[in-house]
Amino acid sequence: MILATDQNADGHPLSAKAGSFLAMRSAVMTRWEREVRARVEGANDLLTPALTNMLPAFYDNIAEALSPGHPRRDGTSNTNAAAVHGGERARMTPFGPEQIIHEYQILRECIAAEAAATVELTAVDWAVIDRSLNHAMREAVREFAAIQDDLRRKVAAALSHDMRTPLAVVANGAQLIQIAPDMDMARRAATKIESSALRLGEMMGELLDALTGNAGDAMMLELSRFDIRDLVREVCAGYAHASSTLVESTSESVIGHWSRNAMRRALENLVNNAATYGDGQGVGLSAKAAHGRVLLSVRNTGNPIGKDRLGSLFEQSSREGGSHAKGGWGIGLPFVKQVAESHGGSVAVDSSQETGTTFLIDVPIDCRPFAGPATT
C-alpha cells in the first residue's frame, strides 16, 4: 500500500505497524462510506468522490504519525488538509458542523472495527489517532464557519450595492405619483415601480440561491476526457525547456474528465513556485488515484512555509509578507484554489523542515457532476 501523496518521499519510512495501518485504508474508507451514508443526514445524496473528499490523505497522515520518530506528530501536523475538508463541506454539501463532527466520529469507529482483526493498536497509538481526529474536527468546523461568515459578508455587500438602484427608482416613482398632474404620468411612474419591484424580487431569489447553495466562486470550464499522466508529462517537458530546474514525475495513468487548460495552468503555477522557492534540489510532480479522486502533488525541499501562513496561503491578500522573498508562495495560489474548487475539489499544503513542502490538488476523477458552469 502506498501513500496517497509523495510527502514521505525522503528518509522517513513507515514502521511495520504503520504499514499495516495504511494497508487498512481501503477497507476503512469503504466501511466509513457505508456507515456515513446510513447515519449522517444528507450524506446519502452525495457521490463518492464528494463524500470522501480529503479523508484518504488524512488517513495516510495518521499512518505516518504512528511511525516512531516520524516528524508528523499527528494527522493534522504541518498540513491544512482538515481545514480544506471543512471548507469543501461548506461549499459542496448540505452538511452543518454536527455532520462534520459525526463523520469524524464514525471514522474512529471504522478504524477500531477494522484494526480489531488486522493490527494491534496500543494506548499510545490510540492517543495519536484520537488527537488527530480531535484536531481535524476543530479545524474542519472552524473553516466551515469561516466560509459561512464569508458568504454572509458577500450577501450583505450584494444587498447594499445591487439593490440601491431599484430601491431608488421605487422611491422616486412613489414621489412622482404623489405629485403627478394627470393619470398618464402616474401610470408611467407606476410602471417603473413595478419593473423595479420585479427586479428586486429576482435579486432576492439570487441571494436565496447563494445562501442555500454552494459558497465557492466557480470558473467556467471546458471539460474533456484525457489521461492526467499525459498532462503531467506535458507540464514537465514544458518546464524542462524553460528552466534548468529538474522536474521529475511519478504518475499513474488516470483517465478522467477535467479542464485540460485550467489544470495545466494550475500545475504550472505550483511547479514554478516550487522551483522558485525550493532549495534547488528539484521538484517532484505526481498523480495518483484514490477512492474516486485524483491526487496531484507538487513537492520541493527547502525552507518550510510558516504555520501562521497555512490558513491564508490561498487568499489574494497572502501575496505579501511571509518567510519567503519575492512575495512568497502566494503567487498564483488563489488561481490554483479556484481551479481545484471549480472542479469540485480542493487544494491543500503540507510543509515542514523535515519533509519539505507538498501542494496537493484533490479533485474527482470525473468532475462533471461536481464542476461549476461547464461546457463539454
Side-chain angles (χ1 to χ4, degrees):
M1 187 71 181
I2 59 174
L3 292 165
T5 75
D6 61 352
Q7 181 70 19
N8 198 37
D10 294 332
H12 301 288
L14 297 182
S15 66
K17 180 180 292 186
S20 298
F21 182 87
L22 186 64
M24 298 193 311
R25 183 182 68 193
S26 180
V28 168
M29 293 307 304
T30 299
R31 179 188 287 262
W32 176 86
E33 180 177 351
R34 183 177 65 248
E35 292 296 321
V36 167
R37 289 192 184 281
R39 297 162 56 187
V40 176
E41 183 179 358
N44 206 38
D45 297 328
L46 302 177
L47 297 180
T48 293
L51 183 63
T52 57
N53 187 235
M54 297 291 289
L55 289 182
F58 171 65
Y59 185 95
D60 290 359
N61 291 345
I62 297 176
E64 291 179 333
L66 290 174
S67 292
H70 195 281
R72 195 183 297 281
R73 182 171 178 267
D74 61 56
T76 62
S77 300
N78 308 316
T79 176
N80 68 339
V84 169
H85 177 75
E88 187 158 325
R89 286 301 188 240
R91 294 183 294 104
M92 301 290 294
T93 76
F95 284 14
E98 181 180 352
Q99 283 75 29
I100 295 174
I101 292 171
H102 196 188
E103 63 179 338
Y104 278 107
Q105 292 172 333
I106 292 174
L107 180 58
R108 188 192 191 283
E109 295 174 10
C110 294
I111 291 172
E114 293 296 330
T118 306
V119 57
E120 183 178 352
L121 297 175
T122 66
V124 174
D125 297 329
W126 274 114
V128 172
I129 295 170
D130 286 337
R131 184 168 63 245
S132 300
L133 292 167
N134 290 335
H135 287 179
M137 279 189 279
R138 290 198 298 271
E139 292 179 14
V141 170
R142 186 185 302 120
E143 182 66 14
F144 180 93
I147 286 184
Q148 294 299 314
D149 288 342
D150 183 60
L151 176 59
R152 283 190 287 271
R153 286 193 295 270
K154 289 180 179 179
V155 169
L159 280 168
S160 63
H161 181 271
D162 294 344
M163 292 185 175
R164 287 178 181 175
T165 299
L167 283 173
V169 172
V170 169
N172 291 337
Q175 292 175 354
L176 285 174
I177 289 176
Q178 291 176 356
I179 63 173
D182 54 53
M183 286 301 297
D184 287 340
M185 180 178 287
R187 289 191 182 97
R188 290 194 296 270
T191 299
K192 292 181 179 180
I193 290 175
E194 181 182 23
S195 175
S196 295
L198 291 173
R199 185 180 173 193
L200 283 170
E202 292 172 354
M203 288 183 178
M204 289 302 298
E206 292 173 0
L207 288 169
L208 287 173
D209 289 341
L211 286 169
T212 58
N214 299 328
D217 295 322
M219 63 193 306
M220 182 68 71
L221 299 175
E222 184 176 348
L223 304 179
S224 62
R225 184 175 183 268
F226 61 92
D227 192 333
I228 202 70
R229 181 170 61 184
D230 294 339
L231 179 61
V232 167
R233 289 174 174 173
E234 183 180 320
V235 171
C236 290
Y239 206 84
H241 294 300
S243 172
S244 60
T245 300
L246 177 63
V247 181
E248 297 181 313
S249 66
T250 55
S251 298
E252 300 175 354
S253 175
V254 185
I255 298 175
H257 289 83
W258 308 280
S259 168
R260 192 181 189 95
N261 289 336
M263 293 293 279
R264 180 193 297 110
R265 288 181 59 198
L267 288 177
E268 287 173 346
N269 268 289
L270 292 180
V271 170
N272 184 62
N273 273 359
T276 301
Y277 302 111
D279 57 5
Q281 298 303 307
V283 175
L285 175 56
S286 74
K288 297 180 177 68
H291 218 78
R293 301 175 77 92
V294 64
L295 299 106
L296 294 154
S297 61
V298 176
R299 179 177 179 272
N300 74 317
T301 54
N303 292 331
I305 300 170
K307 293 181 180 179
D308 59 333
R309 298 195 63 215
L310 290 178
S312 61
L313 194 61
F314 297 95
E315 305 303 325
Q316 293 288 350
S317 60
S318 71
R319 293 174 62 106
E320 302 299 330
S323 59
H324 293 82
K326 306 176 187 177
W329 279 93
I331 299 176
L333 293 183
F335 172 77
V336 174
K337 178 183 179 185
Q338 186 183 28
V339 169
E341 293 181 351
S342 296
H343 280 82
S346 305
V347 60
V349 61
D350 193 313
S351 186
S352 71
Q353 187 68 52
E354 296 83 1
T355 60
T357 297
T358 296
F359 281 85
L360 176 66
I361 296 176
D362 175 357
V363 296
I365 289 177
D366 185 353
C367 78
R368 288 175 296 178
F370 314 104
T375 59
T376 57

